[in-house]
Amino acid sequence: MGSATREALATSRAALSVPGSTTDLATGESLFGAGRVIGSSSQLLSALGDASADAAAKVTLVRAVFGASVTPRALDLLAAAVAERWSSHDDLLAGIEELGLRACDLSVSAETSIEGELFSFGKTVSSDAELELALASKLGKIDAKAALVEKLLAGKVSGQTLAIVRHLVQQPRGRRIGELLRQAASVVADQAGTSIATITSASVLTPAQLDRLRKSLQERHGRALTINQVVDPALVGGVRVQIGDLVIDGSIATRLADLRLQLAS
């Protein structure tokens, strides 16, 4: 990520916290929809993603194009995003998507865990090769993918999660479905002030074990954690923890592999 994009993201995120503003699900959906429109038009993407173009002119353009099709709150957030300088056109699309994800989190009830719903759907997809192909194939029609997501998730997850997954399959931007869901969950968790820790073990950990592990990891990480548990018998024993790019691998399988390498050297 370039320095221009880091600054643009920081400013765009700050726009979500404007006093007196209300962010609802329609705001997130509007941002997702606008991002797809921009991404599908090379001319519009070039104009809005041009780092050398006048910021006021880009804001005027985005208001002219989307003024009648998105919510007023989404329009203000879009304007804030395009007024910034981004390191690349794809970074601009990623920034708009991130605003949509954060807007979805801001609009969800305290009882709902978007991260948990995304994680559960990710497990379902990874365990079904046919479903994964249907959602990820470049040859598949976008409308068909959106309809499949609607069929699978409508009434089973929050409206926010449904909107997120529906958007991701329509604008993957070269990412695999598993990566899409993990990245989205990470952004949503960050908006809620937490990070996601994926704990992989050979068998299901007890609630007490998970609680102890959570407390230990939170002390080390310095932030509240949302725990996702994955069971993989191939680990034999021990656990593997991933928090963002940080990986702590204490599995027996890894220790045995390291031992074999030492013996072979």
Side-chain angles (χ1 to χ4, degrees):
M1 183 188 299
S3 59
T5 289
R6 282 194 292 270
E7 293 178 9
L9 275 175
T11 303
S12 299
R13 291 167 184 163
L16 283 166
S17 305
V18 174
S21 59
T22 301
T23 304
D24 56 12
L25 174 56
T27 298
E29 291 181 312
S30 289
L31 288 166
F32 289 149
R36 293 195 298 273
V37 170
I38 294 170
S40 66
S41 169
S42 58
Q43 184 176 5
L44 186 57
L45 181 58
S46 295
L48 296 176
D50 185 353
S52 64
D54 178 66
K58 291 191 286 186
V59 170
T60 297
L61 175 58
V62 87
R63 291 190 180 279
V65 173
F66 296 105
S69 60
V70 302
T71 68
R73 175 72 169 133
L75 188 60
D76 288 342
L77 291 169
L78 276 173
V82 301
E84 298 301 311
R85 294 177 63 252
W86 299 84
S87 300
S88 70
H89 292 172
D90 191 65
D91 281 356
L92 170 60
L93 294 179
I96 294 173
E97 179 178 286
E98 180 171 322
L99 285 176
L101 292 168
R102 292 179 181 274
C104 283
D105 180 74
L106 287 170
S107 69
V108 78
S109 64
E111 299 78 23
T112 301
S113 170
I114 298 176
E115 311 98 289
E117 291 178 341
L118 290 172
F119 178 71
S120 294
F121 184 62
K123 288 178 65 176
T124 299
V125 173
S126 63
S127 64
D128 188 329
E130 186 175 346
L131 174 58
E132 185 171 14
L133 179 62
L135 292 174
S137 174
K138 295 180 180 179
L139 300 178
K141 295 183 178 179
I142 291 177
D143 290 345
K145 293 180 182 180
L148 177 57
V149 167
E150 191 83 28
K151 180 179 179 181
L152 291 170
L153 296 180
K156 300 176 183 177
V157 298
S158 63
Q160 286 80 0
T161 296
L162 177 58
I164 289 170
V165 179
R166 191 168 50 212
H167 164 72
L168 294 177
V169 300
Q170 291 181 89
Q171 192 181 52
R173 301 194 344 269
R175 298 166 293 175
R176 298 177 67 87
I177 184 66
E179 180 186 1
L180 288 168
L181 296 170
R182 285 192 297 273
Q183 288 180 351
S186 179
V187 171
V188 170
D190 182 69
Q191 182 60 40
T194 69
S195 295
I196 295 176
T198 299
I199 299 175
T200 306
S201 56
S203 58
V204 178
L205 299 180
T206 67
Q209 288 174 320
L210 281 176
D211 188 53
R212 287 196 299 272
L213 192 51
R214 177 190 287 107
K215 290 178 180 178
S216 175
L217 290 170
Q218 285 180 167
E219 290 178 2
R220 176 172 178 172
H221 192 59
R223 195 179 196 194
L225 295 175
T226 296
I227 303 295
N228 289 331
Q229 185 176 184
V230 176
V231 175
D232 181 2
L235 294 187
V236 185
V239 296
R240 180 180 185 275
V241 178
Q242 181 167 359
I243 306 173
D245 294 329
L246 172 66
V247 177
I248 306 169
D249 196 335
S251 66
I252 291 178
T254 297
R255 294 175 188 173
L256 289 173
D258 290 342
L259 180 59
R260 292 191 191 97
L261 287 175
Q262 293 175 18
L263 292 173
S265 60

